[in-house]
Amino acid sequence: MAQTYSPAGSVRTGLTPQIWDDNFFRDYVRSSRFSRYMGTDEASIIQLREELTKRKGDTVTFALVNELVAQGVTGNNTLKGNEERLGLRSDTLTVDVLRHAVAVDDWDEQKSVIDLRDAARVQLREWAQKKLRDEITAGLGMIDGTAYVSAGATARNTWVTNNQDRVLFGLATSNYTTVFSTAIQSLTSGEQLAPTGLSLMKRLAQRASPKIKPIYVKEMDQEWYVVFIGPRAWRDLTEDNPTTNLLTLANRDARVRGEDNPLFTGDSLVWDGMILRELPEIASLPDLSGSAGVAIEPVYLCGAQAIGIAWAQRTKSTTDTDDYGFLHGVGVQEIRRIQKLRFGTAAGVDQTTPKDHGIFTAFVAAAAD
């Protein structure tokens, strides 16, 4: 059994599948910063599907039934022949295997002054937690099912064309063009994220077709969008100038204290019906910059069915022994897929001309510190 990484743990009775498979899965998913946005229904920002944990297969279909838009009939007008066809759409996620393991030999275990059983479990859990976080973050920026960094110019142009009502460059709709790189490179250093820009994003999301649906929070009887913001854009948005920063004033003087809202965390800010969350893993675009080389950072306004997670196999622990019982390994594996949900918009064709369903994306100037 070849070792790729430095030994980090060992196999003991406490690491057997019967003991910790289910707890491992629950622990690392619950500890994710995205866990509060996960749910199994269509009203969740991150929708979970686990049908394949009970049957064979490698694809999971997420369904969409669009809102009715016809006016119906009134009075004694005939309804027959004026029915509205349900707008049924689907998006298919193909799952794949994800695995990792740690290994230790008997000599390392003999020398160790810590409990390597617990160390192995903790390290694998932290790896799984970071992997889940990074895959969801990457999903927010996907270009038609492909990671942003892997999508070529043609794919990006197609995406920005199909999602014209779901994308904003800088602080003005006039910056839009169907050539993605041209729109990015026209942005100036002054087009930083601001409260007025967030409100523009919200209005555009509400006017989009189909509309990006906010999340209804029963505890507050209110609807909210959740906006994930990278560290530099967050810096620009929250610049502490109490006389000019509308966001500072709103959260210092006007915010209701002690919101009973499961979407809130201690570091959340609110603005105009949006819950704002800093997401440090959102990075500047790696291959494009704005005017005069200014760095550009994406901002994601999310509503219902923004991200889909399809699980075909929850965490399963695995073990291995080699070299006449001297070398021991313990690993974890899952079968899953994480992807931004997209549904087709072409008349009469299910998945043609897809749009990002629950995400509005803005690109703003975010200069390096």
Side-chain angles (χ1 to χ4, degrees):
M1 181 175 67
Q3 294 186 65
T4 307
Y5 298 98
S6 299
S10 65
V11 177
R12 294 191 184 180
T13 304
L15 288 179
T16 58
Q18 297 91 327
I19 298 296
W20 62 276
D21 278 5
D22 289 342
N23 286 337
F24 183 96
F25 179 83
R26 287 195 296 267
D27 285 350
Y28 97 77
V29 173
R30 186 183 298 117
S31 62
S32 168
R33 68 185 60 177
F34 291 106
S35 62
R36 66 184 63 242
Y37 310 116
M38 296 179 180
T40 57
D41 61 25
E42 294 82 359
S44 304
I45 292 176
I46 301 174
Q47 186 181 3
L48 310 180
R49 299 286 296 275
E50 294 189 87
E51 292 92 328
L52 291 185
T53 61
K54 300 178 177 65
R55 58 180 173 83
K56 300 296 184 181
D58 65 350
T59 59
V60 174
T61 299
F62 288 74
L64 169 70
V65 181
N66 281 320
E67 292 180 332
L68 299 179
V69 296
Q71 297 300 312
V73 300
T74 59
N76 60 359
N77 290 304
T78 302
L79 180 58
K80 188 174 180 62
N82 291 302
E83 302 92 346
E84 181 177 356
R85 182 179 292 273
L86 286 177
L88 302 176
R89 301 286 180 173
S90 68
D91 190 14
T92 302
L93 274 62
T94 302
V95 298
D96 200 359
V97 180
L98 174 68
R99 300 193 299 164
H100 195 26
V102 294
V104 69
D105 58 44
D106 283 350
W107 181 229
D108 286 330
E109 187 174 12
Q110 174 66 34
K111 294 184 296 181
S112 177
V113 296
I114 65 172
D115 189 338
L116 293 181
R117 172 190 58 191
D118 290 339
R121 184 177 185 276
V122 168
Q123 291 301 315
L124 285 170
R125 184 182 63 196
E126 290 183 357
W127 174 84
Q129 180 181 340
K130 292 177 181 178
K131 189 72 173 177
L132 180 67
R133 177 201 67 197
D134 291 346
E135 289 187 5
I136 294 175
T137 304
L140 293 170
M142 277 184 167
I143 302 294
D144 288 339
T146 301
Y148 172 85
V149 294
S150 302
T154 300
R156 294 176 187 178
N157 293 344
T158 299
W159 173 81
V160 79
T161 298
N162 292 343
N163 289 277
Q164 181 174 356
D165 59 351
R166 286 162 149 70
V167 65
L168 176 67
F169 295 94
L171 302 177
T173 57
S174 58
N175 291 329
Y176 175 82
T177 173
T178 57
V179 181
F180 183 85
S181 60
T182 299
I184 289 292
Q185 291 165 2
S186 69
L187 298 183
T188 65
S189 59
E191 297 194 81
Q192 301 171 333
L193 186 61
T196 53
L198 288 169
S199 294
L200 176 59
M201 290 175 64
K202 177 186 173 183
R203 293 195 299 274
L204 294 174
Q206 291 173 326
R207 294 204 303 264
S209 179
K211 171 186 175 181
I212 296 177
K213 297 180 181 179
I215 303 302
Y216 176 72
V217 180
K218 181 174 62 176
E219 290 82 356
M220 297 185 69
D221 192 23
Q222 290 183 2
E223 293 183 330
W224 296 89
Y225 290 111
V226 176
V227 185
F228 296 108
I229 303 169
R232 295 180 186 176
W234 185 269
R235 171 204 63 197
D236 298 334
L237 178 67
T238 59
E239 182 180 8
D240 190 16
N241 187 336
T243 62
T244 61
N245 193 323
L246 297 176
L247 185 71
T248 299
L249 292 173
N251 283 269
R252 185 190 67 187
D253 300 328
R255 179 174 175 178
V256 178
R257 301 299 190 260
E259 293 94 337
D260 184 16
N261 183 335
L263 298 186
F264 277 102
T265 65
D267 58 349
S268 297
L269 297 177
V270 295
W271 175 259
D272 193 14
M274 292 171 281
I275 300 170
L276 314 180
R277 291 294 314 277
E278 181 183 12
L279 191 59
E281 289 73 32
I282 296 177
S284 298
L285 301 186
D287 55 347
L288 290 173
S289 60
S291 177
V294 63
I296 303 298
E297 207 168 75
V299 178
Y300 306 109
L301 179 150
C302 296
Q305 286 185 300
I307 295 289
I309 301 181
W311 257 295
Q313 182 187 80
R314 288 188 171 196
T315 304
K316 175 184 176 182
S317 58
T318 56
T319 59
D320 193 19
T321 304
D322 204 358
D323 194 17
Y324 295 92
F326 183 72
L327 184 63
H328 308 279
V330 59
V332 290
Q333 73 176 45
E334 293 182 15
I335 303 177
R336 73 171 189 225
R337 172 70 171 172
I338 299 175
Q339 187 172 300
K340 180 191 298 187
L341 290 177
R342 305 170 299 128
F343 296 104
T345 58
V349 185
D350 183 13
Q351 297 185 357
T352 301
T353 316
K355 282 186 178 182
D356 297 347
H357 180 64
I359 299 180
F360 186 100
T361 305
F363 299 94
V364 297
D369 293 318

